[in-house]
Amino acid sequence: MKRTAALLLLALALAPIPAGASAPSPTTAVHEAEAAQAPLSLLWDAEPLQATRLRTGAGVLAFLAVFAVLLYILQRRAWAKRS
Amino acid sequence: MPAAPRVPFKNPVVEWVDVRLPLFSLWRDRYAMMPVPRNLNGWWVSGALALFTLAVMIVSGVFLAMHYTPTTAQAFASVERTMREVNWGWLLRAVHMNGASLFFAIVYAHILRSVYYGSYKRPRELLWLLGVVLFLLMMATAFMGSVLPWSQTGYWSATVVANLFRAIPFVGEPLVTWLIGGPEVGEATLRRFFALHYLLPFAMIGVAFLHVAAQHVAGANNPLGIDPKSPQDTVPFHPRYTSRDLFGLAVFVLVFAAIVFFAPAAFVAPASDIPADPMTTPDVIVPAWYFLPFFAMLRSVGDLVVPFTAIVLIPAQLGGVLALFGALLTLLLLPWLDRSPVRSAVFRPLYKKLFWLLVLDLALLGYVGAQEPEGLCRLLGRLATAYYFLHFLIFLPLLPRIEKPQPLPSSIAEAVRE
Ligand code: HEM
């Protein structure tokens, strides 16, 4: 139990820092003008949002996957214990 | 509070606080050490997930509100600006929009769990009623939220719903004027929808607290639907169920994140990217998927005429509104419609079949709700609406007379051992 808890803390400490926090690129204004008429679905796919979105998403999912596995192990141990 | 002597805590700070305000005792006795049936399955994680999602909706919503302007002239532009200029604004919006869909998915699973295992029956009727109140608050909140971006979709669905309510005799017209703040959906409507959309989720926190409190008084139901009789039938909530809730939460957040980052527009309605225009009606006005079964009922009813004449007793619009409210009222009455003393569908062979037929019926209504109400779809919609009421108002009350339940196990512990 203690070891799993320590592993959880370790995973939290090592969590990837989201890579998307950079300043908006100078081309944002141009994209904006174009995007003003774009359908919402296209808007989600528009640069520079899209690159940030996909990059951040990959990091978040990787972290969550590891986290979920650790929590699964924790859960298994809690249920294995007698009493 | 029970009069039993309190057990002191080792940590002096915890003990100091607890003597003055027994928060830690409350947590320990009512949560961590609370005995819970040992046989709960994964469906019992749904309540914790619903609470979590409510919190996520409130937090993301408060931040979105910081950048939102509730005027017809500015609303659409302010939302676009949130998406493109506010730092992480697109993420806030993706979380809030998809969160609404996931909230409904979780709560539908939660309701179906309660219906399958008979969790609404004595002594949990009030717990069920508070649940239905939460569901109504959720629907009102989601509907008003969908109007806020002042897009074609939101504007026209508000107009369509307002027009339907006008059909209520005598009070319809003044009622709608009062609700939307004028003769038509407009400035006043947007402002009050924003105020209420912000308010109702906090009311939901209050109701959810009572909902969970009621569950702690009655104790949790379980897949067998029989009461725990001895300590062997239960385990303390912590660590087994706390750890399982956490694991369930991690899986849920994983799915949530996958949608938010890789398919953020998955649930977006067709005309939600066009600013509202009272002069152009969009070709199709389809509500969000979670409203579709109810939308289908609203549109399925035809004029009710006196047989062999052309005298209209109940016009179609009014009939639709009655069907919608009737369907929701039926949910409130469920604990008194199902008279069987056996809770769980596991031991009710006929009820189990009817349960799955009802699920099919709701799926069919959902499909019909997304189609034009013509031809075959219109017919299917009517049949499916009729079946919904048949299930709750006729089949359930009659079932105990026909059905022979299977013998119940003598205890949870014994059933688990087998
Ligand atoms: C915002 C929405 C809701 C929240 C946050 C919520 C929360 C919870 C929680 C935390 C529990 C205890 C854990 C569990 O049994 O899963 C619970 C139990 C329950 N809920 Fe809800 N709930 C919501 C909506 C509903 C609705 C719409 C219904 C029914 C119409 C409902 C009916 C029940 C019942 C019957 C139980 C008791 C289950 C049992 O003891 O076996 N809830 N709810």
Side-chain angles (χ1 to χ4, degrees):
Chain A
M1 206 67 157
K2 276 224 178 81
R3 206 186 319 144
T4 322
L7 278 177
L8 282 179
L9 281 177
L10 190 69
L12 273 175
L14 295 181
I17 294 155
S22 54
S25 74
T27 54
T28 312
V30 181
H31 284 296
E32 243 171 64
E34 284 169 2
Q37 294 303 318
L40 193 60
S41 48
L42 283 186
L43 203 60
W44 289 113
D45 289 337
E47 298 289 347
L49 296 185
Q50 195 204 33
T52 316
R53 174 160 70 73
L54 297 181
R55 195 152 22 90
T56 317
V60 168
L61 284 196
F63 167 70
L64 283 173
V66 175
F67 201 52
V69 169
L70 290 175
L71 283 171
Y72 176 72
I73 297 170
L74 186 74
Q75 188 256 158
R76 280 293 294 264
R77 290 195 185 182
W79 281 86
K81 217 171 55 183
R82 297 250 148 228
S83 91
Chain B
M1 285 292 103
R6 55 178 294 283
V7 188
F9 288 88
K10 281 206 199 89
N11 183 321
V13 179
V14 169
E15 177 64 11
W16 188 90
V17 173
D18 200 71
V19 169
R20 285 151 186 85
L21 187 64
L23 291 178
F24 294 97
S25 301
L26 208 67
W27 173 264
R28 180 183 56 193
D29 304 337
R30 294 289 144 138
Y31 195 74
M33 300 304 288
M34 184 179 64
V36 186
R38 64 186 315 139
N39 61 332
L40 298 188
N41 59 30
W43 294 101
W44 266 262
V45 176
S46 58
L49 295 188
L51 279 179
F52 171 79
T53 317
L54 178 59
V56 169
M57 293 306 282
I58 289 180
V59 172
S60 57
V62 165
F63 280 94
L64 282 174
M66 293 175 187
H67 306 284
Y68 174 75
T69 317
T71 62
T72 53
Q74 307 254 331
F76 192 84
S78 74
V79 173
E80 296 271 280
R81 203 182 147 275
T82 305
M83 298 267 294
R84 277 186 262 116
E85 283 171 40
V86 173
N87 288 337
W88 300 103
W90 59 270
L91 182 57
L92 282 175
R93 182 126 191 269
V95 165
H96 202 71
M97 283 171 61
N98 293 297
S101 271
L102 288 169
F103 199 2
F104 275 94
I106 285 292
V107 165
Y108 282 146
H110 188 70
I111 297 177
L112 287 178
R113 182 280 315 260
S114 306
V115 170
Y116 188 81
Y117 295 115
S119 298
Y120 49 82
K121 289 189 190 182
R122 194 185 152 86
R124 298 185 184 83
E125 300 97 322
L126 196 56
L127 166 57
W128 167 264
L129 290 184
L130 289 164
V132 178
V133 171
L134 278 171
F135 182 49
L136 298 178
L137 285 171
M138 259 178 91
M139 293 207 288
T141 308
F143 177 71
M144 290 190 284
S146 71
V147 177
L148 296 185
W150 210 243
S151 68
Q152 278 291 70
T153 314
Y155 173 83
W156 284 100
S157 52
T159 302
V160 167
V161 171
N163 286 342
L164 283 167
F165 281 72
R166 287 185 214 276
I168 301 172
F170 309 117
V171 294
E173 199 60 55
L175 179 73
V176 168
T177 309
W178 181 66
L179 285 176
I180 66 178
E184 305 292 339
V185 172
E187 195 72 45
T189 319
L190 183 60
R191 292 195 182 214
R192 65 188 51 198
F193 276 21
F194 180 52
L196 293 174
H197 183 73
Y198 207 134
L199 174 69
L200 290 189
F202 292 91
M204 285 176 68
I205 294 185
V207 182
F209 179 81
L210 296 178
H211 183 73
V212 176
Q215 200 223 20
H216 282 221
V217 172
N221 186 29
N222 63 80
L224 297 170
I226 58 177
D227 292 325
K229 292 186 192 83
S230 71
Q232 274 110 52
D233 292 342
T234 60
V235 290
F237 191 84
H238 180 74
R240 296 193 189 199
Y241 289 115
T242 37
S243 65
R244 182 190 278 177
D245 278 357
L246 277 177
F247 172 58
L249 195 62
V251 174
F252 176 66
V253 175
L254 196 74
V255 173
F256 199 157
I259 294 173
V260 161
F261 287 104
F262 295 100
F267 300 111
V268 171
S272 47
D273 39 41
I274 306 165
D277 177 1
M279 297 304 166
T280 359
T281 321
D283 301 336
V284 274
I285 305 169
V286 181
W289 68 267
Y290 40 81
F291 286 135
L292 288 177
F294 296 104
F295 191 59
M297 291 187 192
L298 202 55
R299 293 193 308 177
S300 286
V301 183
D303 286 337
L304 188 71
V305 292
V306 181
F308 311 113
T309 66
I311 306 168
V312 178
L313 270 185
I314 303 178
Q317 276 193 345
L318 178 58
V321 174
L322 288 178
L324 174 66
F325 281 111
L328 297 171
L329 189 69
T330 307
L331 280 185
L332 280 173
L333 295 178
L334 177 58
W336 296 276
L337 291 170
D338 178 359
R339 311 294 308 179
S340 167
V342 178
R343 291 200 191 101
S344 174
V346 172
F347 302 106
R348 302 183 62 191
L350 278 177
Y351 178 73
K352 197 191 280 180
K353 291 204 180 86
L354 285 180
F355 172 85
W356 289 112
L357 276 177
L358 180 70
V359 172
L360 258 176
D361 186 63
L362 291 170
L364 183 64
L365 278 170
Y367 169 77
V368 168
Q371 316 300 318
E372 287 293 305
E374 291 161 358
L376 182 64
C377 269
R378 194 175 180 86
L379 182 68
L380 283 177
R382 286 187 183 173
L383 290 176
T385 304
Y387 184 80
Y388 178 93
F389 289 102
L390 206 63
H391 173 92
F392 285 108
L393 299 180
I394 311 285
F395 291 169
L396 282 192
L398 287 183
L399 207 55
R401 294 175 189 227
I402 313 163
E403 184 179 57
K404 263 225 174 73
Q406 289 163 5
L408 299 176
S410 62
S411 75
I412 295 175
E414 188 200 298
V416 169
R417 230 176 284 130
E418 275 167 14

